[in-house]
Amino acid sequence: MSTTRTFAEICTDVAPTGMRRLMSRAVVLGGSIAGLMAARVLSDHADEVLIIERDPQDTGDDPRPGVPQGSQVHGLLPAGQIQFERWFPGFIQEAIEAGAVVPPYGAFEFVMNGSLRTAKPVRLEQPGLVGTRPFLEGLVRRRTLAVPNIRFVSGRAEGLIVEDGRVVGARYEGDEGSTEVRAELVVDGMGRSSRLSDWLEGHGFARPPMQRMGIKLNYATATFRRDPAMGDTWGSIAFNDGSGGVPRIGGVNPVEGDRWLVLIAGYADDRPSRDPDEFTERCVRDFPPMFGQVATGCEMIGPVITYHQADSRRRDFHEARDLPAGVVAAGDAVASFNPIYGQGMTSAALHASCLSAYLRTDPDLSRPARRYFDLVRVVVDAAWQTSTLSDLGLEHVDGPYPPGYALISRISGRIARASISDDAVNHKLSLVTMMLAHPRSLMSPSFVLRAMLRGA
């Protein structure tokens, strides 16, 4: 089966069928979006699903302590929204009733290298949701923990239990001290800081290969009261790839609670600070007019919050030489990308659908879950190609470069430029950036020719 077709099947909105119980217990390490979505999938195949998470079960409107970037702007791409609705029917309506913002069609402006996009945006069947990370994660958590056979335990994961070359459980430190829990399958949902590779190496297994791309991303977010008098534009996304000056990215997003979340980002030595006056100055000086209008005309609520991410990284479990049975990984524990592309929550949801596709084949759980990691690789490759190809164009990023990078970079640059004014090119590129289509779908000769001509 082709990569594009496999990706399309993972991204389907069709309700899953053919579930059957395969295990008495599954354990999920981490209550992130990835862990919660994995637990929901596992609830169809296990008598009991245990989520082990060190952060409190309910943090209200505040970010979890284990998510340092939780206060920053987050994006739920359409592909992720489809998967949330697939696994939690009624999720979209519930989110809207809880306060999620649904901008009208065409109400966001997109500015690339100073040019406003005039091509028509993609019109989707479902309304697009905009909300903060704590808001969306809270909805997913409530729906997940409402499933009768899913249980939440407060504790810090401390290691794996390995017998006869396979993982048979996990250890965690909880209120009652160190505890061991046995399971037929353990899911690592512990995020970028996952210690799974260390644990595997400690039990004599080879560490999965890791790729890193240094991006040196710095960004800051501030929250403002939303003023309806600002006009008909509901939000703004600004992108400068560095070809026309200093590379910067920003966003003005309407979120629940009648607020605007404003993000400004730079790279390397271009570091926004926590100074509110500097934040306002940057909005006025470096970004499209809407940024300055919000920053100077609306009340800033709370402090400016900064975040730094040194690299994008991926752990290639599909290449691990002697992967044990009984363990899989999902979400940022597999791969985490430049967050300005908004791929994190969506990738986590798609990994859950990979897990479902794997478990619905009635796999032999006494053998390594290589079929699962092969499916996850398709999702990781799609996100990695989209984000890192853009990042490789930044002057301070020095690889790793994919084979044929010079040609690929030239074509992708033409596609990006053509998408500003060409409806057909913008439509197809948007499906890829929304993670509704694989990047390979852009490589048809007719599409490349159109983009090369229109983006010259």
Side-chain angles (χ1 to χ4, degrees):
M1 184 183 300
S2 70
T3 299
T4 54
R5 183 175 174 183
T6 299
F7 187 78
E9 290 191 358
I10 294 169
C11 294
T12 183
D13 61 353
V14 177
T17 59
M19 284 82 75
R20 57 187 295 268
R21 292 299 167 100
L22 301 173
M23 62 196 92
S24 59
R25 179 186 291 134
V27 168
V28 178
L29 306 178
S32 61
I33 291 286
L36 294 169
M37 294 297 293
R40 167 60 190 90
V41 166
L42 288 165
S43 68
D44 290 329
H45 301 276
D47 295 329
E48 179 188 40
V49 181
L50 193 65
I51 302 174
I52 300 172
E53 167 58 50
R54 63 182 179 180
D55 288 338
Q57 180 174 334
D58 189 1
T59 56
D61 296 330
D62 298 323
R64 289 189 295 110
V67 186
Q69 75 279 23
S71 298
Q72 306 294 337
V73 170
H74 278 70
L76 178 61
L77 301 179
Q81 185 173 305
I82 288 170
Q83 296 308 305
F84 282 6
E85 182 71 20
R86 183 187 186 207
W87 292 106
F88 303 110
F91 181 89
I92 294 173
Q93 186 58 39
E94 181 181 351
I96 293 172
E97 292 174 356
V101 177
V102 183
Y105 171 74
F108 263 82
E109 66 177 17
F110 180 81
V111 180
M112 178 177 176
N113 294 336
S115 298
L116 178 66
R117 181 177 63 192
T118 58
K120 295 178 181 178
V122 175
R123 187 184 290 273
L124 301 173
E125 293 183 9
Q126 296 176 332
L129 299 180
V130 182
T132 62
R133 166 67 180 260
F135 174 82
L136 294 170
E137 187 174 289
L139 289 174
V140 174
R141 184 183 299 109
R142 286 192 290 275
R143 290 293 296 265
T144 300
L145 298 183
V147 179
N149 61 333
I150 297 177
R151 186 162 60 93
F152 182 97
V153 173
S154 180
R156 175 184 170 86
E158 293 293 346
L160 303 173
I161 304 171
V162 177
E163 294 177 359
D164 299 325
R166 78 177 306 271
V167 175
V168 296
R171 293 183 291 104
Y172 69 95
E173 188 74 22
D175 295 337
E176 300 179 358
S178 181
T179 301
E180 292 189 351
V181 57
R182 300 183 73 85
E184 286 91 333
L185 186 64
V186 175
V187 178
D188 173 15
M190 295 183 290
R192 278 174 63 89
S193 60
S194 167
R195 292 168 289 159
L196 179 59
S197 295
D198 297 334
W199 295 344
L200 292 176
E201 187 175 48
H203 284 284
F205 299 99
R207 301 173 68 90
M210 177 184 283
Q211 298 184 50
R212 293 178 185 264
M213 177 177 289
I215 57 173
K216 300 179 182 178
L217 173 69
N218 318 297
Y219 57 108
T221 293
T223 307
F224 295 83
R225 293 197 191 280
R226 190 158 174 262
D227 185 352
M230 292 297 294
D232 295 332
T233 303
W234 283 52
S236 179
I237 299 172
F239 179 82
N240 189 322
D241 62 10
S243 60
V246 178
R248 292 191 176 102
I249 295 172
V252 177
N253 288 346
V255 297
E256 73 279 358
D258 246 1
R259 299 171 294 165
W260 264 308
L261 215 57
V262 180
L263 174 144
I264 57 174
Y267 292 95
D269 295 331
D270 184 24
R271 300 178 71 100
S273 74
R274 298 181 181 180
D275 181 355
D277 292 335
E278 189 215 4
F279 186 93
T280 299
E281 180 184 349
R282 282 176 173 266
C283 285
V284 173
R285 183 191 67 207
D286 300 331
F287 293 93
M290 186 177 185
F291 287 75
Q293 291 165 7
V294 171
T296 60
C298 298
E299 178 190 359
M300 185 183 291
I301 309 168
V304 176
I305 302 172
T306 58
Y307 180 70
H308 172 73
Q309 183 163 312
D311 58 23
S312 297
R313 62 181 67 169
R314 58 183 291 176
R315 297 175 175 93
D316 290 325
F317 287 93
H318 62 280
E319 293 184 358
R321 296 195 312 271
D322 54 353
L323 189 71
V327 65
V328 299
D332 285 358
V334 179
S336 60
F337 318 94
N338 186 331
I340 55 90
Y341 300 106
Q343 299 166 319
M345 290 192 291
T346 295
S347 291
L350 291 172
H351 292 180
S353 291
C354 291
L355 182 60
S356 172
Y358 165 69
L359 292 174
R360 284 185 283 123
T361 63
D362 194 16
D364 181 356
L365 297 180
S366 68
R367 301 178 64 84
R370 294 199 175 276
R371 174 56 182 162
Y372 164 75
F373 284 116
D374 286 342
L375 293 172
V376 166
R377 177 190 181 183
V378 174
V379 175
V380 171
D381 282 349
W384 186 263
Q385 289 174 34
T386 300
S387 63
T388 60
L389 189 59
S390 294
D391 291 340
L392 283 169
L394 301 173
E395 185 175 342
H396 69 281
V397 177
D398 57 2
Y401 295 93
Y405 168 71
L407 177 60
I408 295 172
S409 177
R410 183 184 175 206
I411 293 173
S412 67
R414 291 287 185 92
I415 292 173
R417 289 194 292 274
S419 71
I420 294 296
S421 58
D422 188 289
D423 291 347
V425 173
N426 182 60
H427 181 91
K428 201 158 187 176
L429 177 61
S430 294
L431 293 180
V432 171
T433 59
M434 294 174 179
M435 295 191 73
L436 292 170
H438 195 278
R440 288 190 182 179
S441 65
L442 301 178
M443 290 298 104
S444 69
S446 60
F447 178 79
V448 170
L449 178 61
R450 182 185 184 105
M452 295 296 285
L453 293 174
R454 300 297 176 90

